[in-house]
Amino acid sequence: MICIHSPASKGQNPQSFFRHGNLRDHPETSERYRILLGAVKGHEIVEARDHGTDPIKAVHSPDYIEFLMTAWGRRSELAGITDQLVATQFPRVGMNARPTGLQGQLGFYLGDTSTSIRDDTWSAIAGSAHAAIDAADYALKAGKAYALCRPPGHHAYAGYGSGFCYLNNAAIAAQRLRDAGAKVAVLDIDVHHGNGTQGIFYGRDDVLTVSVHAETSAYFPFYSGYANETGAGTGEGFNLNLALEHGLGDDPWLAAMARGLDAIQAYGATALVVSLGLDASEHDPIGVLKVTTDGFRRAGALIASAALPMAIIQEGGYICDALPHNLAAFLAGAN
Ligand code: Q9C
Ligand code: ZN
């Protein structure tokens, strides 16, 4: 399998985040890049090409992209910031203002305190998006490809980021496949609901979005991920959420995925984007499901049995001994 990565991923190394109100080491570190890259050894490994900002603008709003590109350079607006920009105030639904200052914009464009901006953040998130674009292009040429995207993307909406995600790499890949004429489905198997991807395509019938995730009534991202979110307007009927009770393992997880794949076949998709989170693992430090390494191999094989051109996009999945084995197992199953 062709595996695409960007060395700029190394520059994105957030330090800390609030977990249940306590400041903890951030799980989405640059060490993940080293571990995931090690796990694809033996595959064909290539560096992402620079595709410029047009394919990013096809998904994200121009003001949000501008904010991401320029925020760090504006840090002197906030006295004493030398390390990381973190949002601490957030607008509520119904509020109307668009602040011009950095503090207000941080909360406008970043949905939580775990999604921070440092010196090398923009180059890493752009490199991550470019890897996803390459994966879409290779999927059409070679059948399948894996993009080692760091930072991840599926919690990023068109106009704001959250949950360690800035640009929605999977949505950018899906739009790339659309622009090449494919009928596209996104299957998201990260343990967290793919809320950003859902949001981006919610009003559209030309991209089917399916997310298999841990039930969100007491788990991130809390405010979405429910079965009654089925799409809006022309997008009605083109979003499917399959939520699992916490603690479940391989068989129910794979059964939900099979249901998702049935919907994808019924839709008539001609290309597939897989949002591959590895945080459904039984060993993941922030996950709540119990998927084994063999479960990831079976997931790869099940998804590949759909026989569609497929761009596999790395999402979450955090450092534990099983992490590289789970990636290798999924790719082996999918090959
Ligand atoms: N108190 C991905 O797996 N937890 N993102 C934030 C804030 C966020 C995970 C906790 C978990 C996001 C791509
Ligand atoms: Zn996740």
Side-chain angles (χ1 to χ4, degrees), residues 260-273:
L261 286 165
D262 285 346
I264 287 165
Q265 297 288 14
Y267 176 66
T270 62
L272 184 61
V273 174

Side-chain angles (χ1 to χ4, degrees), residues 154-155 190-192 279 316 318:
H154 74 148
H155 298 308
D190 188 283
V191 76
H192 301 98
D279 42 11
Y318 302 96

Side-chain angles (χ1 to χ4, degrees), residues 8 52 58 65 109 150 156 205 219 265 278 302 316:
I65 296 168
Y109 290 119
R150 256 211 82 245
D205 63 3
Y219 193 57
Q265 297 288 14
L278 299 166
L302 177 66

Side-chain angles (χ1 to χ4, degrees), residues 31-113:
E31 177 70 357
R32 284 184 75 234
Y33 169 73
R34 201 188 59 72
I35 292 170
L36 295 170
L37 194 56
V40 299
K41 228 170 158 176
H43 290 273
E44 186 186 341
I45 300 175
V46 298
E47 285 189 19
R49 298 187 304 129
D50 186 347
H51 296 275
T53 51
D54 282 354
I56 297 171
K57 286 185 179 136
V59 164
H60 291 281
S61 46
D63 58 309
Y64 175 48
I65 296 168
E66 168 81 9
F67 168 80
L68 290 174
M69 291 175 81
T70 57
W72 182 251
R74 295 168 56 196
R75 65 193 176 283
S76 64
E77 283 183 40
L78 302 178
I81 296 292
T82 54
D83 182 40
Q84 55 176 359
L85 292 166
V86 177
T88 50
Q89 271 79 235
F90 303 93
R92 312 292 304 176
V93 175
M95 286 185 184
N96 181 40
R98 279 199 172 236
T100 54
L102 183 54
Q103 187 76 70
Q105 287 191 348
L106 281 165
F108 189 83
Y109 290 119
L110 299 169
D112 55 64
T113 57

Side-chain angles (χ1 to χ4, degrees), residues 186-237:
V186 182
L187 176 61
D188 187 321
I189 63 167
D190 188 283
V191 76
H192 301 98
H193 174 230
N195 56 343
T197 315
Q198 167 177 306
I200 287 166
F201 297 114
Y202 207 62
R204 290 170 51 170
D205 63 3
D206 64 332
V207 177
L208 174 70
T209 44
V210 179
S211 179
V212 175
H213 52 264
E215 211 262 328
T216 53
S217 63
Y219 193 57
F220 190 88
F222 304 106
Y223 308 108
S224 64
Y226 301 87
N228 67 352
E229 297 155 22
T230 53
T234 46
E236 179 61 57

